[in-house]
Amino acid sequence: IVVNMPANNGSYEEDSQLNCLEICLGKLSENNRIMILHYYYNDKQAKIDHRKNLAEKLGVSLNALRIKALRVRAKLEECVFKCLKNETV
């Protein structure tokens, strides 16, 4: 899966963060990568509805999906922080 990030005319720091995020998403299992990308898809009510559908597809409760997303996000954050630290060394 390729993550299409929005065109960025931002700073070097933003570019580094996006680069590290892409690298770290690539390190996740395919199931976790798909789940986390779908979990954060859409805004407001559409996001809520989408998460309900995602939980149903995965055969888990909405609460179980939230917990799984929280754990995957924590792994991503840790990976991105390590990546950024390595880039600045």
Side-chain angles (χ1 to χ4, degrees):
I1 288 181
V2 175
V3 178
N4 293 321
M5 298 293 185
N8 185 357
N9 295 326
S11 67
Y12 172 77
E13 183 178 322
E14 289 172 333
D15 291 342
S16 294
Q17 289 173 348
L18 288 175
N19 183 51
C20 285
L21 178 59
E22 286 186 28
I23 290 168
C24 293
L25 281 168
K27 291 180 179 183
L28 293 175
S29 70
E30 183 176 1
N31 288 341
N32 281 343
R33 183 172 52 253
I34 291 169
M35 184 275 303
I36 202 71
L37 291 173
H38 283 275
Y39 187 81
Y40 287 104
Y41 186 74
N42 285 331
D43 288 321
K44 301 184 182 179
Q45 186 61 44
K47 182 187 286 188
I48 294 166
D49 294 339
H50 187 74
R51 288 178 181 177
K52 288 178 184 176
N53 291 334
L54 181 58
E56 191 174 296
K57 277 185 183 178
L58 295 174
V60 298
S61 69
L62 192 52
N63 193 48
L65 177 64
R66 286 184 185 119
I67 292 167
K68 184 171 179 64
L70 178 71
R71 290 178 180 154
V72 172
R73 183 177 168 183
K75 286 181 186 179
L76 270 177
E77 287 177 354
E78 181 181 350
C79 179
V80 169
F81 288 135
K82 286 181 181 178
C83 177
L84 289 170
K85 184 177 178 182
N86 289 336
E87 282 192 3
T88 59
V89 173

